[in-house]
mmCIF file with all atom_site columns, all heavy atoms in Angstrom:
data_model
loop_
_atom_site.group_PDB
_atom_site.id
_atom_site.type_symbol
_atom_site.label_atom_id
_atom_site.label_alt_id
_atom_site.label_comp_id
_atom_site.label_asym_id
_atom_site.label_entity_id
_atom_site.label_seq_id
_atom_site.pdbx_PDB_ins_code
_atom_site.Cartn_x
_atom_site.Cartn_y
_atom_site.Cartn_z
_atom_site.occupancy
_atom_site.B_iso_or_equiv
_atom_site.pdbx_formal_charge
_atom_site.auth_seq_id
_atom_site.auth_comp_id
_atom_site.auth_asym_id
_atom_site.auth_atom_id
_atom_site.pdbx_PDB_model_num
ATOM 1   N N   . LEU A 1 12 ? 39.571 -62.318 4.135  1.00 43.00 ? 175 LEU A N   1
ATOM 2   C CA  . LEU A 1 12 ? 39.737 -60.949 4.496  1.00 43.00 ? 175 LEU A CA  1
ATOM 3   C C   . LEU A 1 12 ? 39.176 -60.000 3.460  1.00 43.00 ? 175 LEU A C   1
ATOM 4   O O   . LEU A 1 12 ? 38.491 -58.986 3.796  1.00 43.00 ? 175 LEU A O   1
ATOM 5   C CB  . LEU A 1 12 ? 41.252 -60.616 4.774  1.00 43.00 ? 175 LEU A CB  1
ATOM 6   C CG  . LEU A 1 12 ? 41.829 -61.242 5.987  1.00 43.00 ? 175 LEU A CG  1
ATOM 7   C CD1 . LEU A 1 12 ? 43.384 -60.961 6.017  1.00 43.00 ? 175 LEU A CD1 1
ATOM 8   C CD2 . LEU A 1 12 ? 41.210 -60.537 7.229  1.00 43.00 ? 175 LEU A CD2 1
ATOM 9   N N   . ALA A 1 13 ? 39.420 -60.337 2.168  1.00 47.00 ? 176 ALA A N   1
ATOM 10  C CA  . ALA A 1 13 ? 38.883 -59.503 1.053  1.00 47.00 ? 176 ALA A CA  1
ATOM 11  C C   . ALA A 1 13 ? 37.351 -59.553 1.094  1.00 47.00 ? 176 ALA A C   1
ATOM 12  O O   . ALA A 1 13 ? 36.734 -58.543 0.884  1.00 47.00 ? 176 ALA A O   1
ATOM 13  C CB  . ALA A 1 13 ? 39.426 -60.036 -0.219 1.00 47.00 ? 176 ALA A CB  1
ATOM 14  N N   . ALA A 1 14 ? 36.838 -60.699 1.338  1.00 47.00 ? 177 ALA A N   1
ATOM 15  C CA  . ALA A 1 14 ? 35.366 -60.774 1.348  1.00 47.00 ? 177 ALA A CA  1
ATOM 16  C C   . ALA A 1 14 ? 34.760 -60.027 2.515  1.00 47.00 ? 177 ALA A C   1
ATOM 17  O O   . ALA A 1 14 ? 33.791 -59.355 2.387  1.00 47.00 ? 177 ALA A O   1
ATOM 18  C CB  . ALA A 1 14 ? 34.985 -62.314 1.408  1.00 47.00 ? 177 ALA A CB  1
ATOM 19  N N   . SER A 1 15 ? 35.462 -60.136 3.618  1.00 48.00 ? 178 SER A N   1
ATOM 20  C CA  . SER A 1 15 ? 34.977 -59.395 4.829  1.00 48.00 ? 178 SER A CA  1
ATOM 21  C C   . SER A 1 15 ? 35.025 -57.922 4.592  1.00 48.00 ? 178 SER A C   1
ATOM 22  O O   . SER A 1 15 ? 34.168 -57.176 4.982  1.00 48.00 ? 178 SER A O   1
ATOM 23  C CB  . SER A 1 15 ? 35.834 -59.759 6.073  1.00 48.00 ? 178 SER A CB  1
ATOM 24  O OG  . SER A 1 15 ? 35.722 -61.147 6.312  1.00 48.00 ? 178 SER A OG  1
ATOM 25  N N   . THR A 1 16 ? 36.116 -57.461 3.947  1.00 49.00 ? 179 THR A N   1
ATOM 26  C CA  . THR A 1 16 ? 36.266 -55.972 3.657  1.00 49.00 ? 179 THR A CA  1
ATOM 27  C C   . THR A 1 16 ? 35.184 -55.504 2.728  1.00 49.00 ? 179 THR A C   1
ATOM 28  O O   . THR A 1 16 ? 34.563 -54.469 2.904  1.00 49.00 ? 179 THR A O   1
ATOM 29  C CB  . THR A 1 16 ? 37.637 -55.740 2.998  1.00 49.00 ? 179 THR A CB  1
ATOM 30  O OG1 . THR A 1 16 ? 38.621 -56.160 3.953  1.00 49.00 ? 179 THR A OG1 1
ATOM 31  C CG2 . THR A 1 16 ? 37.823 -54.252 2.694  1.00 49.00 ? 179 THR A CG2 1
ATOM 32  N N   . ALA A 1 17 ? 34.881 -56.391 1.725  1.00 46.00 ? 180 ALA A N   1
ATOM 33  C CA  . ALA A 1 17 ? 33.850 -56.003 0.727  1.00 46.00 ? 180 ALA A CA  1
ATOM 34  C C   . ALA A 1 17 ? 32.463 -55.968 1.455  1.00 46.00 ? 180 ALA A C   1
ATOM 35  O O   . ALA A 1 17 ? 31.697 -54.992 1.179  1.00 46.00 ? 180 ALA A O   1
ATOM 36  C CB  . ALA A 1 17 ? 33.811 -57.012 -0.420 1.00 46.00 ? 180 ALA A CB  1
ATOM 37  N N   . ALA A 1 18 ? 32.259 -56.902 2.296  1.00 45.00 ? 181 ALA A N   1
ATOM 38  C CA  . ALA A 1 18 ? 30.945 -56.930 2.946  1.00 45.00 ? 181 ALA A CA  1
ATOM 39  C C   . ALA A 1 18 ? 30.839 -55.692 3.900  1.00 45.00 ? 181 ALA A C   1
ATOM 40  O O   . ALA A 1 18 ? 29.772 -55.108 3.969  1.00 45.00 ? 181 ALA A O   1
ATOM 41  C CB  . ALA A 1 18 ? 30.862 -58.214 3.814  1.00 45.00 ? 181 ALA A CB  1
ATOM 42  N N   . ALA A 1 19 ? 31.947 -55.357 4.552  1.00 45.00 ? 182 ALA A N   1
ATOM 43  C CA  . ALA A 1 19 ? 31.911 -54.169 5.400  1.00 45.00 ? 182 ALA A CA  1
ATOM 44  C C   . ALA A 1 19 ? 31.662 -52.926 4.657  1.00 45.00 ? 182 ALA A C   1
ATOM 45  O O   . ALA A 1 19 ? 30.908 -52.028 5.003  1.00 45.00 ? 182 ALA A O   1
ATOM 46  C CB  . ALA A 1 19 ? 33.229 -54.066 6.133  1.00 45.00 ? 182 ALA A CB  1
ATOM 47  N N   . ALA A 1 20 ? 32.311 -52.860 3.425  1.00 45.00 ? 183 ALA A N   1
ATOM 48  C CA  . ALA A 1 20 ? 32.081 -51.740 2.592  1.00 45.00 ? 183 ALA A CA  1
ATOM 49  C C   . ALA A 1 20 ? 30.614 -51.570 2.155  1.00 45.00 ? 183 ALA A C   1
ATOM 50  O O   . ALA A 1 20 ? 30.001 -50.450 2.161  1.00 45.00 ? 183 ALA A O   1
ATOM 51  C CB  . ALA A 1 20 ? 32.924 -51.749 1.344  1.00 45.00 ? 183 ALA A CB  1
ATOM 52  N N   . LEU A 1 21 ? 30.014 -52.719 1.874  1.00 43.00 ? 184 LEU A N   1
ATOM 53  C CA  . LEU A 1 21 ? 28.580 -52.745 1.502  1.00 43.00 ? 184 LEU A CA  1
ATOM 54  C C   . LEU A 1 21 ? 27.743 -52.273 2.626  1.00 43.00 ? 184 LEU A C   1
ATOM 55  O O   . LEU A 1 21 ? 26.755 -51.507 2.489  1.00 43.00 ? 184 LEU A O   1
ATOM 56  C CB  . LEU A 1 21 ? 28.133 -54.123 1.057  1.00 43.00 ? 184 LEU A CB  1
ATOM 57  C CG  . LEU A 1 21 ? 28.680 -54.544 -0.346 1.00 43.00 ? 184 LEU A CG  1
ATOM 58  C CD1 . LEU A 1 21 ? 28.363 -55.999 -0.538 1.00 43.00 ? 184 LEU A CD1 1
ATOM 59  C CD2 . LEU A 1 21 ? 28.095 -53.669 -1.452 1.00 43.00 ? 184 LEU A CD2 1
ATOM 60  N N   . VAL A 1 22 ? 28.057 -52.785 3.874  1.00 44.00 ? 185 VAL A N   1
ATOM 61  C CA  . VAL A 1 22 ? 27.317 -52.378 5.015  1.00 44.00 ? 185 VAL A CA  1
ATOM 62  C C   . VAL A 1 22 ? 27.381 -50.885 5.244  1.00 44.00 ? 185 VAL A C   1
ATOM 63  O O   . VAL A 1 22 ? 26.447 -50.121 5.528  1.00 44.00 ? 185 VAL A O   1
ATOM 64  C CB  . VAL A 1 22 ? 27.795 -53.131 6.278  1.00 44.00 ? 185 VAL A CB  1
ATOM 65  C CG1 . VAL A 1 22 ? 27.129 -52.534 7.505  1.00 44.00 ? 185 VAL A CG1 1
ATOM 66  C CG2 . VAL A 1 22 ? 27.427 -54.625 6.111  1.00 44.00 ? 185 VAL A CG2 1
ATOM 67  N N   . LEU A 1 23 ? 28.620 -50.377 5.169  1.00 43.00 ? 186 LEU A N   1
ATOM 68  C CA  . LEU A 1 23 ? 28.885 -48.917 5.343  1.00 43.00 ? 186 LEU A CA  1
ATOM 69  C C   . LEU A 1 23 ? 28.125 -48.130 4.253  1.00 43.00 ? 186 LEU A C   1
ATOM 70  O O   . LEU A 1 23 ? 27.576 -47.057 4.576  1.00 43.00 ? 186 LEU A O   1
ATOM 71  C CB  . LEU A 1 23 ? 30.358 -48.595 5.306  1.00 43.00 ? 186 LEU A CB  1
ATOM 72  C CG  . LEU A 1 23 ? 31.182 -49.073 6.514  1.00 43.00 ? 186 LEU A CG  1
ATOM 73  C CD1 . LEU A 1 23 ? 32.675 -48.787 6.292  1.00 43.00 ? 186 LEU A CD1 1
ATOM 74  C CD2 . LEU A 1 23 ? 30.745 -48.249 7.766  1.00 43.00 ? 186 LEU A CD2 1
ATOM 75  N N   . ALA A 1 24 ? 28.187 -48.606 3.027  1.00 47.00 ? 187 ALA A N   1
ATOM 76  C CA  . ALA A 1 24 ? 27.462 -47.905 1.942  1.00 47.00 ? 187 ALA A CA  1
ATOM 77  C C   . ALA A 1 24 ? 25.967 -47.881 2.263  1.00 47.00 ? 187 ALA A C   1
ATOM 78  O O   . ALA A 1 24 ? 25.292 -46.847 2.056  1.00 47.00 ? 187 ALA A O   1
ATOM 79  C CB  . ALA A 1 24 ? 27.768 -48.563 0.633  1.00 47.00 ? 187 ALA A CB  1
ATOM 80  N N   . GLY A 1 25 ? 25.483 -49.027 2.766  1.00 48.00 ? 188 GLY A N   1
ATOM 81  C CA  . GLY A 1 25 ? 24.062 -49.072 3.110  1.00 48.00 ? 188 GLY A CA  1
ATOM 82  C C   . GLY A 1 25 ? 23.700 -48.098 4.168  1.00 48.00 ? 188 GLY A C   1
ATOM 83  O O   . GLY A 1 25 ? 22.646 -47.461 4.080  1.00 48.00 ? 188 GLY A O   1
ATOM 84  N N   . CYS A 1 26 ? 24.580 -47.968 5.128  1.00 46.00 ? 189 CYS A N   1
ATOM 85  C CA  . CYS A 1 26 ? 24.327 -47.026 6.191  1.00 46.00 ? 189 CYS A CA  1
ATOM 86  C C   . CYS A 1 26 ? 24.376 -45.634 5.701  1.00 46.00 ? 189 CYS A C   1
ATOM 87  O O   . CYS A 1 26 ? 23.547 -44.754 6.081  1.00 46.00 ? 189 CYS A O   1
ATOM 88  C CB  . CYS A 1 26 ? 25.390 -47.174 7.326  1.00 46.00 ? 189 CYS A CB  1
ATOM 89  S SG  . CYS A 1 26 ? 25.192 -48.740 8.255  1.00 46.00 ? 189 CYS A SG  1
ATOM 90  N N   . SER A 1 27 ? 25.342 -45.379 4.794  1.00 46.00 ? 190 SER A N   1
ATOM 91  C CA  . SER A 1 27 ? 25.424 -44.001 4.276  1.00 46.00 ? 190 SER A CA  1
ATOM 92  C C   . SER A 1 27 ? 24.193 -43.665 3.460  1.00 46.00 ? 190 SER A C   1
ATOM 93  O O   . SER A 1 27 ? 23.621 -42.570 3.578  1.00 46.00 ? 190 SER A O   1
ATOM 94  C CB  . SER A 1 27 ? 26.711 -43.906 3.385  1.00 46.00 ? 190 SER A CB  1
ATOM 95  O OG  . SER A 1 27 ? 26.761 -42.644 2.754  1.00 46.00 ? 190 SER A OG  1
ATOM 96  N N   . ASP A 1 28 ? 23.667 -44.654 2.650  1.00 48.00 ? 191 ASP A N   1
ATOM 97  C CA  . ASP A 1 28 ? 22.510 -44.322 1.866  1.00 48.00 ? 191 ASP A CA  1
ATOM 98  C C   . ASP A 1 28 ? 21.348 -44.122 2.811  1.00 48.00 ? 191 ASP A C   1
ATOM 99  O O   . ASP A 1 28 ? 20.532 -43.269 2.573  1.00 48.00 ? 191 ASP A O   1
ATOM 100 C CB  . ASP A 1 28 ? 22.186 -45.579 0.981  1.00 48.00 ? 191 ASP A CB  1
ATOM 101 C CG  . ASP A 1 28 ? 23.199 -45.710 -0.130 1.00 48.00 ? 191 ASP A CG  1
ATOM 102 O OD1 . ASP A 1 28 ? 23.847 -44.717 -0.448 1.00 48.00 ? 191 ASP A OD1 1
ATOM 103 O OD2 . ASP A 1 28 ? 23.205 -46.801 -0.730 1.00 48.00 ? 191 ASP A OD2 1
ATOM 104 N N   . ASN A 1 29 ? 21.266 -44.900 3.914  1.00 47.00 ? 192 ASN A N   1
ATOM 105 C CA  . ASN A 1 29 ? 20.169 -44.726 4.879  1.00 47.00 ? 192 ASN A CA  1
ATOM 106 C C   . ASN A 1 29 ? 20.260 -43.298 5.502  1.00 47.00 ? 192 ASN A C   1
ATOM 107 O O   . ASN A 1 29 ? 19.236 -42.670 5.739  1.00 47.00 ? 192 ASN A O   1
ATOM 108 C CB  . ASN A 1 29 ? 20.179 -45.819 5.901  1.00 47.00 ? 192 ASN A CB  1
ATOM 109 C CG  . ASN A 1 29 ? 19.751 -47.138 5.338  1.00 47.00 ? 192 ASN A CG  1
ATOM 110 O OD1 . ASN A 1 29 ? 19.144 -47.182 4.302  1.00 47.00 ? 192 ASN A OD1 1
ATOM 111 N ND2 . ASN A 1 29 ? 20.149 -48.288 5.966  1.00 47.00 ? 192 ASN A ND2 1
ATOM 112 N N   . ASP A 1 30 ? 21.519 -42.982 5.833  1.00 47.00 ? 193 ASP A N   1
ATOM 113 C CA  . ASP A 1 30 ? 21.727 -41.613 6.438  1.00 47.00 ? 193 ASP A CA  1
ATOM 114 C C   . ASP A 1 30 ? 21.294 -40.511 5.459  1.00 47.00 ? 193 ASP A C   1
ATOM 115 O O   . ASP A 1 30 ? 20.649 -39.578 5.923  1.00 47.00 ? 193 ASP A O   1
ATOM 116 C CB  . ASP A 1 30 ? 23.194 -41.478 6.808  1.00 47.00 ? 193 ASP A CB  1
ATOM 117 C CG  . ASP A 1 30 ? 23.564 -42.336 8.038  1.00 47.00 ? 193 ASP A CG  1
ATOM 118 O OD1 . ASP A 1 30 ? 22.588 -42.791 8.709  1.00 47.00 ? 193 ASP A OD1 1
ATOM 119 O OD2 . ASP A 1 30 ? 24.771 -42.490 8.295  1.00 47.00 ? 193 ASP A OD2 1
#
Side-chain angles (χ1 to χ4, degrees):
L175 288 173
S178 298
T179 302
L184 287 172
V185 170
L186 288 172
C189 290
S190 176
D191 289 343
N192 289 339
D193 288 345

